[in-house]
């Protein structure tokens, strides 16, 4: 097997992976960096983030307020030391992006502009029209091209971590172009593999968001933390799930039921604010979990409009006018017209909640280090945790920059301790075993279909692990997912060739998703309370006495994961009431 | 909801098993609002798992799913079946080597993009702690449209010159170089000029404008190329008629 040796290997070349790679290359040009991704960097899903990135920059704002919004928004499940680090580093990272040429939208005087965002009390969301993630990704990618020490391995699918003597020593990956397995030896590994929204049938996430990075760490013994917290973004197009950014509401768009009522006022987010004059942290600028839950209740009451794709609410932006929509929300207009046949300048756009983001992920500490020596994680695949039970919009782009860089710095500190490269023969044997496991897929003839199992998994999660959950439903989901994992052993490939074999790729991705899905369902079943994005119909209240804790799901092979709990780091903000009424302080 | 049966004729090529590329015909029941990508996904899920193509975002921003649809370079996620009444022919992007089925090799573009130094070469050094470079909305507007390139390669597939002269830097790489040259924070034009003013740089462009016509993001690479040509010409005259200006 061909072996590629570097100092640090990074899995994933989206925002977090690229930020880490650049930080390493700048800090020490002698470091050999292998940047490995199953897609070309500019295809990474960071490109689909629209609204912006939060960071305190204006005179009316403070780090303390960003901290408070984030911790309250996360229903006090955030680790407060991590949030402190995030809000401190945020402005520096966003300015660094500015210095690398990111085309941030501007004020007339040339300073960076900010916009309002859900759950944020002060305007602090930097934006590049409504393609912020796209610009951030391309700025990072193009900037990375100046560093020859970053060796890219585009379209390599990572299959296994290599671990010896309790240290992560590399990984194996399939070169898609040849279908051959390669061994990457490294003294430290950073996972930046993104989220897992594709476990659900209706998601804003691109096809590549299959939880591969999470599954890699999980199978290597690193717990997945807080996996029960799955964010529904309230405003997706019902036809395709395409995201219409929160900035629609930040700019003044309002949500209506079929009677034309701004129904959020009936769910603790009133009183109604004047049309075209959005008030921060209330009504349409409430947090995503609350808005999605309000939709669920209105739907139960029969107050939603009916479309051929199911029930929807209406996002009305007409009062913003054509000029503002074109300037601030050009992508939103384009998508609405293309995929729904509705021009937001002329008509309200039907929207409904859609799976968007995994708050949970690979368990890391505030240094982006996992419990496995030599392994680090950052971005959506990681849970550090700054998002707690509900992420505020525009914190995730900031997170991937801040903790992408942090992972790089921590990995370098680790290298300075001279960890060695492990026992070469033992690692070779692991790599061979990984290759054998993949080759064995080609021999199977069990008859289970990849698309079929995937569909059942998606259906199970949508039905039982959605906006509202129950013990009964989650028990059923756990049983179904356990059965699907057993049946996965009998999947059959139809494509037995090597070059760019997407049948094989989808089989491996399905394996990742099934493992992550089981962690979601089991963690959700065990959390007998309602907090943030995890709402139980049978345990409707937040229960700080028992569950002001992070869940940690540990992989147990063919059996269901074991769930343990760890304390939440609370430094200065005691759990309180999340108040998004217009009367809040 | 309305459905119709659509015939797709898809180019298949597996270097391990096929001597030559060939077309395969699929008949699929499609919903009215589907794009070509939806039809391909439907085929892959229910008819033929061996069909290979790239895709991810389904919202025309990741740039993965560029392909020839009835002979024109298009993003499959934004090309609606309803606009094609007959059999729809789907092929890999023109002018690129085919890796497998609809998957092309784009190494050439990545190498060219790297050569044009597509990153900020600051006009004046300023520490991050000193805050942002000021840039007015008007200054932003000068280069903004050229930042919108999603690297989907449709312009290369449309470009007649690139088809004939593979060394030509091509529309996207030149537009992106121009994007940085036009940025008020940047001072790197002279460094990029070596690549883009070379024979295989802008001068190969014969200005058919095909690149701008096919761009799904409404970038105007043809305009970038012409602006670069004019600036390069001015450079040449200044260098030859007023050599004392050279430092």
């Amino acid at each position: 097997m061909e072996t590629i040796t570097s100092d640090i290997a990074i899995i994933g070349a989206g925002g977090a992976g690229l930020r880490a790679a650049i930080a390493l290359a700048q800090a020490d040009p002698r470091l050999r960096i292998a940047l490995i991704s199953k897609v070309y960097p500019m295809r990474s899903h960071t490109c689909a983030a629209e609204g912006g990135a939060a960071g305190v920059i204006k005179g009316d704002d403070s780090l303390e307020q960003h901290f408070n919004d984030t911790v309250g928004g996360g229903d006090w499940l955030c680790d407060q030391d991590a949030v402190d680090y995030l809000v401190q580093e945020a402005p520096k990272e966003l300015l660094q992006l500015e210095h690398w040429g990111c085309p941030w939208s501007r004020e007339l005087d040339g300073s960076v502009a900010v916009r309002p965002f859900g759950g944020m009390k002060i305007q602090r969301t930097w934006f590049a029209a409504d393609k912020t993630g796209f610009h951030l990704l391309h700025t990072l990618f193009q900037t990375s091209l100046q560093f020859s020490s970053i060796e890219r391995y585009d379209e390599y699918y990572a299959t296994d971590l290599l671990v010896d003597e309790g240290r992560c020593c590399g990984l194996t990956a399939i070169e898609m172009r040849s279908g051959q397995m390669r061994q990457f030896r490294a003294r430290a590994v950073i996972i930046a593999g993104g989220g897992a929204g594709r476990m659900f049938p209706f998601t804003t996430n691109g096809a590549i968001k299959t939880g591969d990075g999470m599954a890699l760490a999980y199978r290597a013994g690193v717990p997945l933390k807080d996996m029960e917290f799955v964010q529904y973004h309230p405003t997706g197009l019902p036809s395709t799930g395409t995201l219409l950014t929160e900035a629609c509401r930040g700019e003044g768009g309002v949500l209506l039921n079929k009677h034309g009522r701004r129904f959020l006022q009936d769910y603790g987010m009133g009183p109604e604010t004047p049309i075209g004059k959005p008030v921060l942290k209330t009504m349409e600028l409430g947090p995503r979990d609350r808005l999605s839950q309000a939709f669920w209740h209105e739907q139960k009451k029969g107050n939603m409009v009916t479309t051929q794709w199911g029930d929807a609410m209406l996002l009305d932006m007409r009062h913003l006018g054509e000029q503002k929509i074109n300037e601030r929300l050009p992508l939103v207009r384009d998508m609405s017209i293309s995929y729904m046949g509705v021009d937001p300048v002329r008509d309200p756009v039907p929207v409904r909640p859609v799976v968007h983001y995994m708050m949970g992920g690979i368990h890391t500490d505030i240094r982006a280090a996992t419990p496995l020596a030599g392994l680090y994680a950052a971005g959506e695949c990681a849970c550090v945790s700054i998002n707690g039970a509900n992420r505020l919009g525009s914190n995730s782009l900031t997170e991937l920059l801040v903790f992408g860089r942090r992972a790089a710095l921590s990995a370098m500190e680790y290298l300075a301790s001279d960890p060695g490269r492990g026992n070469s023969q033992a690692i070779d044997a692991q790599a061979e075993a990984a290759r054998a496991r993949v080759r064995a897929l080609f021999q199977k003839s069990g008859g289970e279909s990849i698309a079929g199992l995937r569909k059942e998994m998606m259906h199970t999660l949508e039905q039982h692990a959605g906006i509202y959950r129950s013990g009964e439903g989650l028990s059923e989901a756990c049983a179904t997912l356990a059965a699907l994992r057993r049946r996965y052993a009998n999947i059959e490939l139809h494509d037995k060739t090597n070059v760019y074999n997407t049948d094989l790729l989808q089989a491996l991705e399905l394996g990742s998703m099934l493992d992550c899905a089981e962690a979601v369902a089991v963690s959700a079943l065990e959390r007998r309370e309602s907090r943030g994005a995890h709402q139980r119909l049978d345990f409707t209240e937040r229960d700080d006495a028992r569950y002001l804790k992070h869940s940690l799901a540990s992989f147990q092979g063919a059996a269901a994961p074991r769930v343990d709990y760890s304390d939440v780091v609370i430094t200065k903000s005691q759990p309180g009431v999340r108040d998004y009424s217009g009367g809040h302080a | 909801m309305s459905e119709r049966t659509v015939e797709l004729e898809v180019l298949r090529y597996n270097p391990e098993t096929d001597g030559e590329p060939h077309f395969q015909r699929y008949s699929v029941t499609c919903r009215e609002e589907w794009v070509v990508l939806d039809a391909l996904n439907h085929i892959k899920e229910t008819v033929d798992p061996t069909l290979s193509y790239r895709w991810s975002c389904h919202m025309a921003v990741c740039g993965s799913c560029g392909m020839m649809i009835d002979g024109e370079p298009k993003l499959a996620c934004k090309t609606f079946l309803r606009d094609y009444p007959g059999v729809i022919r789907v092929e890999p992007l023109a002018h690129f080597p085919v890796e497998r089925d609809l998957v092309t090799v784009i190494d050439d573009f990545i190498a060219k993009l790297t050569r044009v130094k597509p990153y900020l070469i600051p006009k004046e050094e300023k520490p991050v702690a000193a805050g942002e470079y000021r840039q007015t909305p008007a200054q932003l507007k000068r280069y903004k449209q050229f930042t919108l390139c999603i690297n989907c390669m449709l312009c290369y597939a449309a470009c007649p010159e690139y088809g004939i002269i593979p060394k030509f830097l091509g529309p996207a790489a030149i537009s992106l170089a121009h994007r940085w040259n036009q940025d008020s924070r940047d001072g790197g034009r002279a460094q990029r000029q070596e690549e883009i003013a070379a024979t295989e740089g802008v001068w190969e462009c014969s200005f058919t404008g095909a690149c701008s016509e096919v761009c799904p993001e409404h970038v105007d690479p043809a305009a970038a190329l012409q602006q670069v040509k004019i600036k390069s010409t001015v450079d040449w005259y200044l260098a030859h008629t007023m050599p004392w200006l050279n430092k």
Side-chain angles (χ1 to χ4, degrees), chain A residues 28 91 98 154 166 168 211 382 491 513 524 554 585:
Chain A
D28 184 353
E98 199 280 327
D154 299 332
C168 188
I491 52 165
M513 287 192 286
S554 298

Side-chain angles (χ1 to χ4, degrees), chain A residues 39-40 42-45 47-48 50 57-58 91-93 95-112 126 128-129 131 134-135 138-139 141-146 152 154-155 176-178 198 204-209 239-240 242-243 308-309 331 334-335 337-339 449 451 454-455 494-503 506, chain B residues 1-2 12 14-17 31 33 35 38 41 44-46 48-65 77-80 82 99-101 103-107 109-110 113-114 117-120 122 126-137 139-140 143-144 147-153 176 179-180 183 185 216-218:
Chain A
V39 292
Y40 285 90
M42 62 281 192
R43 313 301 185 216
S44 306
H45 198 64
C47 74
E50 296 175 15
I57 183 82
K58 299 293 181 188
K92 296 180 214 166
E93 281 299 309
L95 279 171
Q96 176 64 77
L97 259 289
E98 199 280 327
H99 281 237
W100 284 334
C102 187
W104 296 115
S105 292
R106 303 283 177 156
E107 304 287 357
L108 283 174
D109 69 356
S111 62
V112 166
W126 301 39
K131 287 192 173 180
F134 165 81
H135 288 298
H138 281 250
T139 301
F141 172 53
Q142 293 179 22
T143 299
S144 80
L145 294 175
Q146 66 191 278
R152 281 208 333 278
D154 299 332
E155 299 195 327
M176 293 297 295
R177 188 174 292 183
S178 66
R198 281 273 153 184
T204 61
N205 285 193
I208 60 175
K209 298 277 298 283
S239 54
T240 53
T242 305
L243 171 70
Q308 58 171 312
W309 305 279
L331 179 66
D334 181 19
M335 295 292 140
I337 294 172
S338 293
Y339 297 122
S449 113
R454 191 170 54 212
K455 199 169 271 182
H494 290 81
D495 187 344
K496 314 268 190 189
T497 64
N498 294 298
V499 176
Y500 213 91
N501 182 339
T502 48
D503 197 27
Q506 291 191 354
Chain B
M1 65 196 75
S2 59
R12 302 300 309 272
N14 186 328
E16 286 174 85
T17 54
R31 289 172 58 151
E33 74 273 12
V35 291
D38 296 322
N41 285 341
K44 180 140 184 97
E45 276 180 27
T46 62
D48 186 352
T50 70
L51 181 63
S52 290
Y53 50 96
R54 294 186 179 109
W55 75 286
S56 181
C57 74
H58 202 295
M59 55 186 285
V61 70
C62 80
S64 304
C65 67
C77 72
K78 230 186 158 190
T79 303
F80 291 85
R82 59 178 175 253
E99 191 163 309
R100 157 115 190 232
D101 295 343
V103 177
T104 53
V105 180
I106 63 166
D107 296 358
F109 168 73
I110 300 286
L113 179 66
T114 308
K117 302 185 198 286
Y119 37 80
L120 194 82
K126 179 174 174 177
V128 169
E132 73 260 57
Y133 291 99
R134 293 288 167 131
Q135 184 167 67
T136 64
Q139 288 173 319
L140 174 66
Y143 72 92
K144 181 67 192 284
T147 67
L148 296 173
C149 170
I150 62 172
N151 304 178
C152 66
M153 305 291 101
L176 285 164
R179 169 255 180 274
W180 291 102
D183 192 316
R185 297 166 289 187
E217 305 301 320
H218 312 293

Side-chain angles (χ1 to χ4, degrees), chain B residues 168-185:
Chain B
F168 175 41
L169 274 179
I174 292 171
S175 296
L176 285 164
H178 189 58
R179 169 255 180 274
W180 291 102
N181 288 344
Q182 293 292 98
D183 192 316
S184 57
R185 297 166 289 187

Side-chain angles (χ1 to χ4, degrees), chain A residues 181-238:
Chain A
M181 188 72 97
R182 308 287 184 220
Q183 184 181 172
F184 288 86
R185 292 283 188 88
R187 293 190 289 155
V189 174
I190 299 171
I191 302 182
R198 281 273 153 184
M199 297 183 293
F200 288 78
F202 188 64
T203 175
T204 61
N205 285 193
I208 60 175
K209 298 277 298 283
T210 53
D212 309 290
M214 293 180 184
L216 280 174
Y218 182 49
R219 292 171 192 155
V222 177
L224 295 180
K225 183 162 70 188
D226 292 340
M227 288 293 278
E228 60 271 41
F229 298 98
V230 177
Q231 178 160 79
Y232 277 75
H233 193 293
T235 60
L237 293 178

